[in-house]
Amino acid sequence: MDGIIKQIEKGKPFFEKISRNSYLGAVRDGFLTAMPAILFSSIFILIAAVPEIFGYQWPEAVSTWLWKVYNYSMGVVGLLVSATTARCLADSMNRRLPKNKVINTTSVMLASVVSFLLLSVSPIEGGFSTEYMGTKGLLASFVAAFLTVNLYKFCVLRDITIKMPKEVPGTISQTFRDIFPFSFSVFAAVLIDLGIRQIFQISFAEAIITVLQPLFTAADGYLGIAIIWGAMALFWFVGVHGPSIVEPAIAAIIYANVETNLQLFNSGEQASKVLTVGLGNFVGTMGGTGATLVVPFIFLLFAKSKQLKAVGKASFIPVSFAVNEPLLFAAPMILNPYFFIPFLLTPVVNVCLFKFFVDVLGMNSFMYVLPWATPAPIGLVLGTGMGVLAFVLAAVLIVVDFLIYLPFCKAYDAVLVEQEAQKAEVIATEEGTSAAIPEEVPVAASQVINDANKEINVLVLCAGAGTSAMLANALKEGASESKAPISAMAGAYGSHYEMLQDFDMVVLAPQVNSYYDDIKEDTDRLGIKLVATKGAEYIGLTRDPEKAVQFILNQFQ
């Protein structure tokens, strides 16, 4: 098993390179930027639909208004994502372009929106169809964004522009500089639209879905979903944030299927599309990647080693809300041969069980989008419409996951018990809950504080702002207790670019360490300190506010 782990670990640099791909990153960050609109719309759809499950019908005027809010947010999410993805990709490219030749991110957003409309919308009597402006148009939104940004980059690098006299104000000059790239981007979308309509007599958005439908159908099968969530777990097992690699590739279909399921349900049919965003959040990764929801409770109830008992006690709350880094790095589970099989097997079993309940037993699949941090059993029940089978499946998943993980947890626990018994005094291992922070040159906190001329603003970044909040909260608590001049904020990598200049230091959580080189270009340019943390080190800092504060202060010595 150790040999297998070492062979897999050799692929980590390749996996990290994939996760740093600017196009995958733009899709991920574009969705993250548009997420408030998606979650906002889902709140209204829950209010509109859930009461009907219990036999209550809203008055027609209220129901119409609730659905209107949903249609004017989720119904145009393709339009929104075309803009946010274009901006995120332009920001990524700008960091590699000469300072005097950068893409105007506002202009590129507008051009991407126009291009998306040309690729997705069909004229009808009295206006135009909105059918492909929502989740059905997401693939077209990515194409519009990628095409637009690359054409802008082409024009910017070759100085294809209208130059104005230096006396002309900058805002007016910028307008003329953007005319050519804007025109080329829109004209390219026009040509694609004309070509597709001539060949297929349908819009590009509809055509690309039609062409890729066999792939989507295959991905919705047992093998497809097993590969998707097995790959996420495999990547995370070697220390690379798996969802950052896999989710952008399936983002369009998992959101489109949610809307399709809702339409099926409203028409009296079964919501049968399995491959959805909820399948990942509340089934394949219940409790976090690796479906680790039951693991802290196994540690609490059955572990005999002090290390795993402590890990279970410290991690069961965050894991319940899908933040499982404290468990992954403190046990540790990452690159631990004892957890290789259950870490990959459990998500695969979970998604296959879900598909069985949908395909064979007739349970509805996910019809609503809920925040990823919703406790998995609750998200499963609410997201599928609170059917009886959903409650049954939630219980089955917990039992099955428990049975899969239990023998491996007990085997690892036995090893730790033996190790602890051989020591004269019990100490936590480096990867354990008392994760040792690397020794720094001893500096009295009070001395550091007195020498500080201003407040130190710290930004902690992780993949989804869940893990980063743990360290940010520890820093706030420690700063309050010690009167240290530190303020801290948690953020998600990808949504941090515009606020970097407001901070003095950036701390990367272990899950986003692969982006260190990318963000260092920005922090060096802005004169900001950047620190990447390791798994055990990071977990130790989150649990000791005093050491967390000292860790930050020592960076400024």
Side-chain angles (χ1 to χ4, degrees), residues 411-452:
Y412 181 53
D413 181 57
V415 172
L416 294 181
V417 168
E418 184 178 350
Q419 291 176 352
E420 290 174 354
Q422 293 173 352
K423 295 180 180 179
E425 54 183 338
V426 177
I427 60 173
T429 62
E430 182 181 356
E431 295 83 4
T433 58
S434 297
I437 300 174
E439 292 293 332
E440 304 279 354
V441 177
V443 179
S446 58
Q447 178 185 348
V448 178
I449 294 170
N450 291 333
D451 291 343

Side-chain angles (χ1 to χ4, degrees), residues 20 38 65 111 143 158 165 171 181 340 365 373 427 485 515 525 536 554:
R20 293 170 57 193
I38 295 173
W65 181 79
V143 172
R158 288 159 181 78
T171 54
F340 177 68
S365 184
I427 60 173
Y515 302 120
R525 173 173 50 84
N554 283 331

Side-chain angles (χ1 to χ4, degrees), residues 137-184:
L138 284 172
L139 289 173
S141 71
F142 300 148
V143 172
F146 297 163
L147 178 67
T148 299
V149 174
N150 278 285
L151 285 171
Y152 265 72
K153 179 182 178 183
F154 177 85
C155 292
V156 166
L157 287 177
R158 288 159 181 78
D159 206 23
I160 302 175
T161 183
I162 298 176
K163 297 181 180 180
M164 302 296 291
K166 61 181 180 179
E167 292 80 11
V168 176
T171 54
I172 297 177
S173 295
Q174 184 64 57
T175 300
F176 281 92
R177 280 196 294 269
D178 291 333
I179 287 179
F180 277 135
F182 187 97
S183 301
F184 291 163

Side-chain angles (χ1 to χ4, degrees), residues 125-340:
E125 185 177 353
F128 53 81
S129 170
T130 61
E131 182 179 1
Y132 287 89
M133 289 180 67
T135 55
K136 287 184 179 180
L138 284 172
L139 289 173
S141 71
F142 300 148
V143 172
F146 297 163
L147 178 67
T148 299
V149 174
N150 278 285
L151 285 171
Y152 265 72
K153 179 182 178 183
F154 177 85
C155 292
V156 166
L157 287 177
R158 288 159 181 78
D159 206 23
I160 302 175
T161 183
I162 298 176
K163 297 181 180 180
M164 302 296 291
K166 61 181 180 179
E167 292 80 11
V168 176
T171 54
I172 297 177
S173 295
Q174 184 64 57
T175 300
F176 281 92
R177 280 196 294 269
D178 291 333
I179 287 179
F180 277 135
F182 187 97
S183 301
F184 291 163
S185 302
V186 173
F187 187 64
V190 169
L191 293 178
I192 294 174
D193 177 64
L194 287 173
I196 294 297
R197 289 186 187 277
Q198 284 294 321
I199 298 172
F200 300 106
Q201 285 75 51
I202 55 178
S203 69
F204 174 81
E206 185 176 356
I208 194 171
I209 287 181
T210 302
V211 170
L212 295 178
Q213 193 59 51
L215 180 61
F216 294 153
T217 301
D220 205 57
Y222 285 100
L223 180 60
I225 59 177
I227 290 174
I228 290 169
W229 274 275
M232 284 189 192
L234 177 62
F235 291 142
W236 232 143
F237 188 79
V238 298
V240 180
H241 194 254
S244 296
I245 300 175
V246 179
E247 285 185 351
I250 59 172
I253 190 61
I254 62 177
Y255 283 95
N257 279 347
V258 172
E259 185 174 356
T260 300
N261 281 339
L262 184 59
Q263 293 171 351
L264 289 170
F265 180 75
N266 289 337
S267 63
E269 301 179 53
Q270 180 197 10
S272 57
K273 299 292 185 180
V274 170
L275 187 59
T276 60
V277 62
L279 178 67
N281 289 343
F282 308 124
V283 180
T285 61
M286 55 185 305
T289 304
T292 56
L293 180 64
V294 300
V295 176
F297 298 96
I298 292 177
F299 288 169
L300 281 173
L301 296 173
F302 298 96
K304 297 179 180 178
S305 67
K306 293 185 177 181
Q307 176 179 325
L308 293 189
K309 282 281 189 184
V311 171
K313 182 178 180 180
S315 63
F316 79 93
I317 292 179
V319 170
S320 296
F321 292 91
V323 179
N324 69 342
E325 282 79 6
L327 175 67
L328 299 184
F329 295 115
M333 298 182 73
I334 299 298
L335 289 173
N336 186 332
Y338 285 92
F339 292 108
F340 177 68

Side-chain angles (χ1 to χ4, degrees), residues 1-12 15 234 237-238 335-337 340-341 344:
M1 183 63 73
D2 287 332
I4 296 175
I5 302 301
K6 289 179 180 178
Q7 289 299 316
I8 294 174
E9 191 176 8
K10 289 181 180 179
K12 183 177 180 179
F15 298 149
L234 177 62
F237 188 79
V238 298
L335 289 173
N336 186 332
F340 177 68
I341 292 175
L344 270 65

Side-chain angles (χ1 to χ4, degrees), residues 229-230 233 283-285 289-291 342-352 405:
W229 274 275
V283 180
T285 61
T289 304
F343 197 78
L344 270 65
L345 178 63
T346 309
V348 172
V349 171
N350 282 5
V351 294
C352 289
Y405 268 109

